[in-house]
Amino acid sequence: MSIELFNLSGKIALVTGSTHGLGMAMAKGLGKAGATIVVNGNSSQQKIDDAIKIYESEGIKAVGYKFNVTKEDEVIDAISAIQSEVGLIDILVNNAGIIKRTPLEDMEVEDFKAVIDVDLVSPFIVSKHVVKGMIARKQGKIINICSMMSELGRNTVGAYAAAKGGLKMLTQNMATEWAKHNIQTNGIGPGYFATSQTAPIRVDGHPFNEFIINRTPAAKWGDPDDLAGAAIFLGSRASDFVNGHVVYVDGGILATIGKPSNEK
Ligand code: GCO
């Protein structure tokens, strides 16, 4: 019985920004639990086709849809195409995100707005149009990808922190409004993971690299596959009474004040 709770056979999961990185890792987890993965990206059709090959090479059923999550008309068209060509969306993972590392006093307004648009407004836009089907069917799962910056500030990532802090509260309000329809809305808060997004600050000898390894009780950067379990849990019946929470997968960063570099 218990393992059955995590079985996603017959389910359809749309994961935004799932051609690489954390999005792909979480989508692979959902796919290996039985779900059909709707892969989304916006950079190029080639990138989506290459990603589909990777999913299929791991025995995962995946279909690709290129659309810009910040453009409501593209989102409406994509969701109706997905629901008529693939099927009704059971699980939505709002993962697509960007970051711009600039001190706030030097940040251009359009850059600030661009980060808010992708990281906070697009989860609202995509959820608004996917949830209508979930409300009609009285079931659904929404997972918003938050961050350490949903709880903590950091030099140069002010716009990102504003968006991820806002996304935590948007998650709570989605749960408040949609739980009565048997829709569970929760978040996943990744700590520091080895991805292309963190590559610039994860270089050997880079002070931030040393800082993270020392600041993280697990004393390492996370492996994207470490997120698969939380995605399966929040996408499955195992979380049918879990609502409005962020599951932090961070190696213990938020649990501790940290320690000086001379302490083991
Ligand atoms: C940064 C990082 C973070 C991580 C992640 C932490 O510059 O601090 O890129 O934003 O990617 O969001 O939870």
Side-chain angles (χ1 to χ4, degrees):
M1 170 56 183
S2 52
I3 202 65
E4 231 353 79
L5 287 172
F6 298 89
N7 181 352
L8 298 178
S9 304
K11 299 290 184 184
I12 293 171
L14 166 58
V15 182
T16 66
S18 49
T19 61
H20 66 290
L22 302 185
M24 176 176 266
M26 291 181 281
K28 281 182 180 176
L30 297 170
K32 288 180 179 163
T36 295
I37 303 301
V38 178
V39 176
N40 156 258
N42 188 42
S43 50
S44 72
Q45 189 57 45
Q46 188 55 51
K47 207 165 176 195
I48 291 176
D49 299 344
D50 294 348
I52 298 288
K53 292 196 185 76
I54 294 170
Y55 286 106
E56 289 174 344
S57 70
E58 298 189 26
I60 294 166
K61 188 158 181 281
V63 283
Y65 285 80
K66 179 179 180 306
F67 61 96
N68 182 333
V69 291
T70 67
K71 301 268 183 280
E72 189 168 21
D73 55 347
E74 285 191 33
V75 169
I76 292 168
D77 295 350
I79 289 169
S80 64
I82 291 164
Q83 306 224 110
S84 57
E85 295 160 7
V86 185
L88 300 173
I89 296 167
D90 301 290
I91 304 163
L92 168 63
V93 181
N94 289 307
N95 166 74
I98 61 169
I99 191 166
K100 294 181 185 289
R101 300 186 182 95
T102 310
L104 282 169
E105 68 273 17
D106 302 332
M107 189 169 219
E108 298 301 331
V109 173
E110 69 262 13
D111 285 341
F112 188 95
K113 285 182 174 175
V115 173
I116 298 293
D117 217 20
V118 178
D119 297 2
L120 180 56
V121 180
S122 79
F124 160 64
I125 293 173
V126 180
S127 301
K128 170 188 170 182
H129 293 288
V130 167
V131 82
K132 293 192 173 92
M134 293 175 169
I135 290 172
R137 292 196 313 283
K138 283 270 174 265
Q139 64 168 22
K141 302 277 183 178
I142 298 177
I143 305 171
N144 294 325
I145 305 310
C146 297
S147 163
M148 294 293 96
M149 275 75 227
S150 296
E151 304 284 347
L152 302 172
R154 179 173 105 68
N155 287 337
T156 76
V157 296
Y160 185 82
K164 294 298 187 178
L167 186 56
K168 177 188 174 201
M169 283 314 301
L170 181 61
T171 301
Q172 287 182 222
N173 224 82
M174 286 175 173
T176 302
E177 295 189 24
W178 297 335
K180 61 181 172 288
H181 304 295
N182 187 31
I183 297 166
Q184 291 78 46
T185 309
N186 292 286
I188 292 175
Y192 280 85
F193 280 74
T195 65
S196 56
Q197 192 238 50
T198 58
I201 55 175
R202 188 167 35 84
V203 183
D204 278 349
H206 188 296
F208 195 78
N209 183 36
E210 318 307 320
F211 167 72
I212 286 298
I213 291 168
N214 189 55
R215 176 76 177 74
T216 307
K220 63 178 183 173
W221 289 74
D223 175 323
D225 293 343
D226 292 332
L227 291 170
I232 296 166
F233 168 61
L234 294 177
S236 69
R237 284 189 297 123
S239 59
D240 275 2
F241 199 54
V242 179
N243 237 316
H245 291 285
V246 178
V247 176
Y248 287 104
V249 184
D250 66 354
I253 287 181
L254 291 179
T256 180
I257 192 175
K259 60 179 171 56
S261 52
N262 63 346
E263 266 181 32
K264 279 284 153 272

